[in-house]
Amino acid sequence: MADLDWDDADFELVARRQNRSEQQAACTGGPVLVCDTDALATTVWQERYRGRTTAPVRDLARAMPPRALYLLTSDKDVPFDDDGLRDGEHLRGWMTDRFRETLTGSGVPWQELHGDRRTRLTAALTAVDRLLSDGWHLAEPLG
């Protein structure tokens, strides 16, 4: 990862492809779509690697369909797991803080997950089940 040289066009491409992949999955999947990233997260990653965000990436994040819930893994009690692709363990706290700030400013509900893998999974599933139990919130039929 240290040898990669990211430019702003890379982040725009990532956000654009992510939006397209999500839309395709939403059209063919079930009532829940789980993504490990999205264009909003790409704005934070762009800031991490480029020191700023750009209008095209922010615009792609604003163009996303509404989200029902974000789940954020805590950096406090969840160990860093280097899978050979990750870098920036020393920036993990800063990144998590930026995600918290970004999510808080987004107006979308979010929940921070703490604890071991089973505890985090249980909390995530409980949050999704709660959303599903609230039922569908669809607009009135047209016509």
Side-chain angles (χ1 to χ4, degrees):
M1 291 298 289
D3 295 335
L4 293 176
D5 185 24
W6 298 91
D7 65 29
D8 292 327
D10 293 322
F11 289 94
E12 185 177 347
L13 179 63
V14 166
R16 188 176 309 288
R17 285 185 179 171
Q18 179 69 29
N19 283 357
R20 185 174 51 239
S21 294
E22 287 177 21
Q23 189 61 33
Q24 290 169 344
C27 289
T28 60
V32 176
L33 177 61
V34 178
C35 301
D36 69 346
T37 192
D38 68 4
L40 184 63
T42 302
T43 67
V44 177
W45 285 103
Q46 184 181 36
E47 182 180 351
R48 183 260 191 257
Y49 281 104
R50 303 288 296 156
R52 70 194 183 304
T53 61
T54 56
V57 176
R58 288 190 305 270
D59 290 346
L60 286 161
R62 281 192 288 272
M64 297 182 313
R67 277 32 184 159
L69 177 68
Y70 278 93
L71 299 170
L72 176 65
T73 303
S74 175
D75 63 306
K76 303 287 187 234
D77 57 353
V78 178
F80 182 79
D81 184 14
D82 188 350
D83 61 2
L85 295 175
R86 302 193 187 280
D87 74 331
E89 181 176 6
H90 64 288
L91 293 172
R92 191 163 176 237
W94 179 87
M95 288 289 295
T96 305
D97 286 344
R98 285 299 294 134
F99 280 116
R100 284 185 195 108
E101 292 168 14
T102 300
L103 292 172
T104 298
S106 75
V108 176
W110 64 281
Q111 179 175 331
E112 191 163 340
L113 304 175
H114 297 270
D116 63 24
R117 184 179 302 253
R118 180 179 297 279
T119 301
R120 295 191 316 269
L121 179 60
T122 299
L125 291 173
T126 299
V128 171
D129 286 345
R130 188 172 42 250
L131 283 172
L132 291 173
S133 72
D134 285 346
W136 304 102
H137 302 283
L138 303 175
E140 291 296 319
L142 298 175

